[in-house]
Amino acid sequence: MPLFEGLRLAFREIAAHKLRSFFTLLGIIVSVAFLVAVVAIIQGMNAYVSENLAGAIVGRNAFQVRRIPISVGLFDDEEWRELQRRPVIQAEEVAFVQRAIPDALAVSLQSGWPTPQADVSWRNQTVGDVLVFGVTPPFQIVQDYVMAAGEGLSDVDVRERRRVAILGYDVAEKLFDDFDAAVGRRIRVGRTQVEVKGIVEAKGTVLGQSWDGFVMLPITLFEAMYGRRQTTTISVKMARADQVAGAMLRAEEAMRVARRLRPGEPNDFTVDTAEGLITFWENLTRVIFAVVPAVVAIGVIVGGIVIMNIMLMSVTERTFEIGIRKSVGAKRGDIQRQFLAESIVLATTGGILGILTGWALAQLVAVVSPMPARVTLWSITLALALGAGVGVLFGVYPARRAARLDPIIALRNE
Amino acid sequence: MSGESLIRVSGLTREYRMGAETVHALRGVDMEIRRNEYLAIMGPSGSGKSTLMNLIGCLDSPTCGEYWLNGVEVSQMQDDELARVRNREIGFVFQTFNLLPRASALHNVELPLIYAGMSGRERRQHAARALERVGLADRMAHKPNELSGGQRQRVAIARALVNDPSILLADEPTGNLDSSTSAEIMAVFEELYRQGQTVVMVTHEADIASHARRVVTLLDGVVNSDTVREAA
Ligand SMILES: Nc1ncnc2c1ncn2[C@@H]1O[C@H](COP(=O)(O)OP(=O)(O)OP(=O)(O)O)[C@@H](O)[C@H]1O
Ligand SMILES: [Mg+2]
């Protein structure tokens, strides 16, 4: 029997038992949908984390000289005590780093974690819990800030500890209708009066969190208000990504000189990019990727066994039909192909329905949560191959049973 | 009138094992059938008529003995070769019609051509012509349950004819039909015989057998009598 005839028969048979076919396929649909959705979400997150999160935290093509490394995991007690003994980063050390990396686009100093929060108000308008940073002007280059109104902080602002502030877009939007008119207004940050010097263009949201809800002050003013931070950080921005690794080595050398560390003595500082964060994320997804196939495999095997059962049932139900076909000249191979085609079409239909469900699920997750989803071609291909594979694997046995039926015995089965 | 030899069986034996017991359905049948014969096989119930027909129809294989069809020994053939012979050489009509219940008359008749590997268009033409031959040109799209018993048997005959078989076998083709419908079906066989088709038919009833030019009676698994009547 030609392939086309087999496929036509398969579709007719499945269409004749729509509900039964659907329930037969439930296992495959759920497994494949799970596969497609989870992979889509993880892929989406991966792209997102490496494209946005790292850049947002550290800045594009940038690295930091820090007292405490960037980390998502927890330090153990020993490590933590060790880190606590490290000296705080000093403003003077910026110059050492700067001299070591003359090709840096910017070297800045900024107040570190935890960032204090304050109410910001103008006249009777108040925005609560705004993040307050203290920075040196190059920080604005490190973060690629673009001014929506007014101008950025200057060296003079820092040196003279001027009472000026740069507003994040969200804060400015909540306080003022007209940004240009906002420049020069006196607002209050906590209990301190400052003058709005500029407003930064919106950076958008990362992981559902706005990066525009801040007030930026000259670091000298910030330290007068909140005291010297234990976590002050130096940021270095390079022109290109391939310059970062070399610059990090030079920064490390410069810091060792500044700290007068002898050869062999460990660093009492950390030169870091957001790489660690990305690595952590990648490790996490690697674990998920290791678990997903196992879950999918179990689902698919169960789904396959269901298909095999239904196919066996179908062979029994259609013994008479098989007898007729054999009596008019169907060979074993013809019958086997017919039933194999049926189980493959059945399982592949399950795969396709699963892909659609998984895709819809991923879209839903993307819409209702900050998690982005990216349906990838390879997960669709894998899902389809899985469906067809299950059809073959679990269809062979019923098909062989059907093919081996004796025509007269089968005909007696009306 | 009869031509060259079409079928020759000798010492044809078929035993069924039923646990410890062995049922001897055929105990050594010798028989020759020539081209363009019209043969009726008669005999009491259980004498082995259907068993013999199934062997001739290649639906079953003998326990021992020889079966030659068109000069080829069929008794030594394997599954797939038998399927090929069923497909090309034999048209089988059953008492119970044995049609695919969910397929149209046309599709039922197409079935042997599908397994012969004929293309779709050619297939439908052949099937339609076969249905016309049995007088069902206007019932091609009907499903079996939309047809009368006689019409169903005509569809089955069309299916048996569609591959231009060497021999048309019918095991009690009128067993499930009333007498007037039986007469119609017998007229179809008569007409096919006149057109040159070799026909072998099993029947219980003497007036059905009287259509045939030769009557073989079986008794207890062996040939009991073999009578040739000269055509009127
Ligand atoms: N599949 C089988 N298993 C066991 N015994 C069988 C089988 N088929 C037929 N027989 C036996 O073989 C013998 C011949 O059966 P067969 O069907 O050929 O008889 P028949 O002449 O066609 O009878 P009827 O006129 O009732 O159709 C019977 O005794 C029957 O019981
Ligand atoms: Mg019988």
Side-chain angles (χ1 to χ4, degrees):
Chain A
M1 176 163 42
L3 180 69
F4 173 73
E5 197 63 31
L7 291 179
R8 206 179 59 86
L9 274 174
F11 278 113
R12 220 183 46 190
E13 203 55 43
I14 291 163
H17 305 281
K18 285 191 197 68
L19 203 61
R20 177 164 111 183
S21 300
F22 174 74
F23 282 113
T24 305
L25 293 179
L26 217 49
I28 300 280
I29 294 174
V30 170
S31 317
V32 167
F34 176 75
L35 173 77
V36 171
V38 169
V39 169
I41 290 165
I42 291 176
Q43 292 287 96
M45 292 290 284
N46 267 347
Y48 204 67
V49 164
S50 48
E51 283 165 20
N52 299 330
L53 195 56
I57 291 173
V58 175
R60 212 172 265 290
N61 301 335
F63 64 90
Q64 295 184 336
V65 180
R66 309 168 56 92
R67 181 169 169 234
I68 313 284
I70 301 177
S71 173
V72 204
L74 290 174
F75 301 107
D76 65 33
D77 287 350
E78 184 56 38
E79 278 176 315
W80 186 240
R81 268 194 302 276
E82 186 65 47
L83 292 172
Q84 286 305 305
R85 277 199 295 272
R86 289 179 165 190
V88 173
I89 302 281
Q90 299 296 322
E92 299 73 50
E93 287 165 343
V94 173
F96 279 83
V97 174
Q98 183 108 59
R99 241 176 286 132
I101 316 169
D103 50 342
L105 286 184
V107 179
S108 71
L109 188 69
Q110 79 256 19
S111 58
W113 180 88
T115 309
Q117 296 185 325
D119 290 349
V120 176
S121 47
W122 179 65
R123 289 186 183 155
N124 52 2
Q125 303 270 67
T126 299
V127 184
D129 299 329
V130 175
L131 297 172
V132 184
F133 300 112
V135 303
T136 58
F139 183 76
Q140 301 166 113
I141 301 171
V142 171
Q143 284 288 341
D144 296 310
Y145 284 148
V146 176
M147 304 310 289
E151 50 193 82
L153 294 175
S154 68
D155 289 334
V156 184
D157 295 328
V158 174
R159 206 180 319 125
E160 295 184 0
R161 203 204 287 160
R162 285 193 180 151
R163 290 168 172 266
V164 292
I166 307 294
L167 300 186
Y169 193 90
D170 283 358
V171 179
E173 201 176 34
K174 282 178 191 141
L175 292 181
F176 303 104
D177 295 328
D178 180 357
F179 283 6
D180 289 321
V183 175
R185 299 282 186 197
R186 306 198 134 263
I187 60 168
R188 269 200 317 281
V189 175
R191 283 191 301 274
T192 311
Q193 280 231 338
V194 295
E195 186 185 303
V196 176
K197 194 181 182 198
I199 294 165
V200 177
E201 198 65 80
K203 278 216 139 186
T205 58
V206 174
L207 287 181
Q209 185 142 24
S210 166
W211 287 74
D212 299 311
F214 65 86
V215 168
M216 200 160 58
L217 306 173
I219 191 161
T220 42
L221 174 64
F222 176 90
E223 285 178 350
M225 287 163 66
Y226 295 100
R228 169 66 54 89
R229 297 256 120 189
Q230 299 293 300
T231 52
T232 305
T233 299
I234 299 173
S235 288
V236 181
K237 185 186 189 69
M238 306 305 295
R240 297 188 317 269
D242 61 358
Q243 297 173 319
V244 171
M248 284 171 78
L249 287 176
R250 281 182 280 156
E252 184 181 345
E253 235 3 86
M255 283 301 291
R256 287 186 69 90
V257 171
R259 293 269 166 100
R260 294 175 214 277
L261 295 176
R262 279 187 296 275
E265 250 184 302
N267 288 346
D268 54 0
F269 58 91
T270 301
V271 181
D272 220 350
T273 59
E275 211 58 54
L277 199 67
I278 294 171
T279 308
F280 169 81
W281 172 257
E282 281 172 350
N283 285 341
L284 185 75
T285 54
R286 203 167 298 139
V287 172
I288 299 173
F289 268 138
V291 174
V292 167
V295 174
V296 171
I298 293 170
V300 163
I301 288 170
V302 171
I305 291 171
V306 172
I307 289 182
M308 180 159 75
N309 263 307
I310 295 294
M311 288 308 295
L312 282 173
M313 197 171 99
S314 170
V315 168
T316 309
E317 271 179 8
R318 286 151 66 196
T319 300
F320 180 59
E321 173 194 328
I322 296 163
I324 292 173
R325 291 180 182 280
K326 288 200 113 179
S327 75
V328 300
K331 297 192 172 82
R332 284 191 180 194
D334 292 322
I335 301 294
Q336 191 164 326
R337 268 196 298 281
Q338 179 188 340
F339 279 85
L340 207 53
E342 203 170 307
S343 63
I344 292 172
V345 169
L346 199 62
T348 307
T349 306
I352 291 169
L353 289 179
I355 288 168
L356 293 178
T357 313
W359 180 81
L361 220 63
Q363 297 305 313
L364 192 73
V365 168
V367 169
V368 302
S369 78
M371 285 193 283
R374 210 178 258 189
V375 176
T376 50
L377 194 64
W378 69 261
S379 71
I380 289 178
T381 316
L382 181 70
L384 273 180
L386 217 57
V390 164
V392 173
L393 200 66
F394 292 91
V396 163
Y397 176 62
R400 292 182 76 98
R401 281 254 304 240
R404 272 205 295 269
L405 281 174
D406 186 83
I408 329 184
I409 295 174
L411 279 177
R412 226 174 273 145
N413 211 276
E414 194 176 6
Chain B
M1 53 175 258
S2 32
E4 72 211 88
S5 171
L6 177 63
I7 283 174
R8 192 167 59 76
V9 299
S10 60
L12 207 62
T13 304
R14 180 64 165 106
E15 295 168 355
Y16 294 105
R17 296 213 165 274
M18 306 285 289
E21 242 178 287
T22 304
V23 179
H24 299 273
L26 291 181
R27 302 164 182 268
V29 171
D30 302 307
M31 188 200 293
E32 187 161 11
I33 301 170
R34 281 181 294 277
R35 231 174 258 290
N36 198 26
E37 268 197 303
Y38 191 170
L39 174 76
I41 297 176
M42 297 194 70
S45 186
S47 56
K49 303 183 296 293
S50 294
T51 305
L52 180 60
M53 285 296 267
N54 290 341
L55 288 177
I56 294 175
C58 291
L59 291 167
D60 196 9
S61 300
T63 310
C64 62
E66 287 182 13
Y67 169 20
W68 294 77
L69 172 66
N70 264 337
V72 183
E73 184 169 11
V74 173
S75 35
Q76 295 298 322
M77 284 185 177
Q78 298 302 303
D79 229 66
D80 279 358
E81 297 169 285
L82 288 174
R84 207 191 119 80
V85 174
R86 286 199 292 273
N87 187 238
R88 308 286 165 126
E89 306 285 347
I90 288 163
F92 211 116
V93 177
F94 302 88
Q95 179 178 352
T96 51
F97 320 135
N98 290 354
L99 299 174
L100 289 180
R102 281 189 285 122
S104 67
L106 188 72
H107 185 80
N108 265 293
V109 177
E110 271 184 77
L111 211 54
L113 302 178
I114 291 177
Y115 296 114
M118 194 181 279
S119 77
R121 225 163 60 91
E122 211 180 337
R123 223 161 60 200
R124 275 185 290 283
Q125 284 173 359
H126 272 69
R129 214 172 306 138
L131 280 166
E132 280 162 26
R133 274 179 84 184
V134 297
L136 278 183
D138 54 343
R139 293 286 188 277
M140 292 193 193
H142 289 230
K143 303 253 168 72
N145 63 0
E146 297 159 356
L147 296 169
S148 72
Q151 287 169 333
R152 281 182 221 183
Q153 196 59 301
R154 285 164 194 257
V155 174
I157 294 170
R159 181 181 64 190
L161 287 176
V162 76
N163 253 354
D164 245 332
S166 301
I167 188 164
L168 184 62
L169 304 173
D171 190 352
E172 298 192 47
T174 59
N176 277 11
L177 303 174
D178 62 35
S179 54
S180 70
T181 315
S182 293
E184 280 172 35
I185 294 296
M186 290 321 294
V188 172
F189 280 110
E190 182 73 30
E191 178 57 27
L192 293 173
Y193 167 66
R194 282 187 193 289
Q195 291 168 8
Q197 180 68 57
T198 314
V199 179
V200 178
M201 179 186 300
V202 170
T203 181
H204 266 359
E205 296 159 68
D207 58 327
I208 297 286
S210 67
H211 290 269
R213 304 303 186 271
R214 177 183 168 197
V215 178
V216 171
T217 56
L218 292 186
L219 188 61
D220 232 359
V222 289
V223 175
N224 186 47
S225 73
D226 190 339
T227 337
V228 179
R229 286 184 298 105
E230 274 318 304

